[in-house]
Amino acid sequence: MEIHLIRHTAVENPENLCYGFAEMPLRKEYAGDFKKLNLTGDFDLVISSPSQRCRLLAAFVSPDYTTDERIREMNFGNWELKKWTDIPEEEINPWYEDFINIKASGGENLLEMKARVLDFWDELTAKKDTEKVLIIAHAGVIRLVLQAVLQFPLENMFNIQIDYGKKVIIEGKEDYFFIKTVNV
C-alpha cells in the first residue's frame, strides 16, 4: 500500500490566531495553489479531514472523497481563534512546557490526539484491497503518523517541518512501513 499524506494549502491568518478544530479559510489564491500541487496518479481512496480547508482540496482531487473526524487537527478548545499572544500565560505556559500531557483549556492533549489518529491509521493500514491512498489532513496529523512509523520520541515531533500543500509518501510492505518522501 502506498499512502500519500498531504497538508492542506496555506491559510489566511494574518493575525496569527490559534486554530486546530476551528475553521480557518484558505488564502484567497487557493485555486492557484491547488493547480501547483504534486498530485499525480489515480488514488483508490481519498480521505479528508472534515475541516473545510481540507475538504476543498479533496473535492478538487476527487468527487468521491470521504471524511474522517479522527484526522482533524488538535482541538485547542477555548484557545481556538484567539491570538496566541492573547492566551493567558497561566494557561499556555504549562502547555508549552508539556504539550504532550497538558490540554489546551477545554481542548485535548497530544496523547488524546495521537490515540484518535492512530486508530484511523491502524484501520486504514489493515485494508488489504487498497493500493494507493491520499489523505488530506493537517501538519499535526501527519507528524503523528510519521512518529508512529519511525518510532521517534513524541516530544521531537515538531522537529519535522510539514509544509502547506506538500506530501509525505509512506509505503507499506507486509508488516512494516517506510518513508519514501517528505515535503514533495
Side-chain angles (χ1 to χ4, degrees), residues 29-160:
E29 301 84 6
Y30 76 87
D33 292 343
F34 288 178
K35 292 176 184 172
K36 296 176 189 172
L37 297 177
N38 180 12
L39 292 172
T40 57
D42 293 324
F43 296 98
D44 300 322
L45 190 58
V46 176
I47 307 168
S48 174
S49 159
S51 298
Q52 183 181 25
R53 56 191 181 271
C54 294
R55 287 185 293 115
L56 286 168
L57 178 54
F60 175 79
V61 173
S62 170
D64 299 322
Y65 75 93
T66 61
T67 62
D68 195 305
E69 283 287 333
R70 296 172 293 179
I71 57 173
R72 275 189 181 269
E73 187 57 278
M74 179 175 272
N75 181 352
F76 287 104
N78 299 331
W79 301 351
E80 295 277 353
L81 301 179
K82 285 185 180 178
K83 288 183 182 179
W84 283 99
T85 55
D86 289 346
I87 299 169
E89 286 185 19
E90 63 273 8
E91 287 183 25
I92 202 159
N93 285 344
W95 184 79
Y96 281 145
E97 292 173 16
D98 185 5
F99 61 86
I100 295 172
N101 296 295
I102 303 294
K103 294 181 184 194
S105 176
E108 67 184 337
N109 67 28
L110 190 60
L111 291 175
E112 291 167 329
M113 181 182 175
K114 180 181 177 179
R116 67 177 162 80
V117 169
L118 292 187
D119 183 58
F120 166 83
W121 180 254
D122 291 344
E123 183 180 300
L124 174 69
T125 57
K127 295 179 186 290
K128 300 298 180 201
D129 59 341
T130 306
E131 292 295 319
K132 193 171 181 183
V133 179
L134 176 64
I135 299 169
I136 302 163
H138 311 274
V141 171
I142 296 169
R143 286 182 180 116
L144 286 170
V145 168
L146 288 171
Q147 189 272 333
V149 170
L150 296 174
Q151 294 293 302
F152 56 80
L154 192 55
E155 61 268 14
N156 293 339
M157 72 178 266
F158 291 105
N159 293 342
I160 298 175

Side-chain angles (χ1 to χ4, degrees), residues 156-171:
N156 293 339
M157 72 178 266
F158 291 105
N159 293 342
I160 298 175
Q161 178 64 34
I162 304 296
D163 294 334
Y164 287 115
K166 298 294 183 181
K167 276 194 309 188
V168 168
I169 302 174
I170 300 173
E171 189 162 337

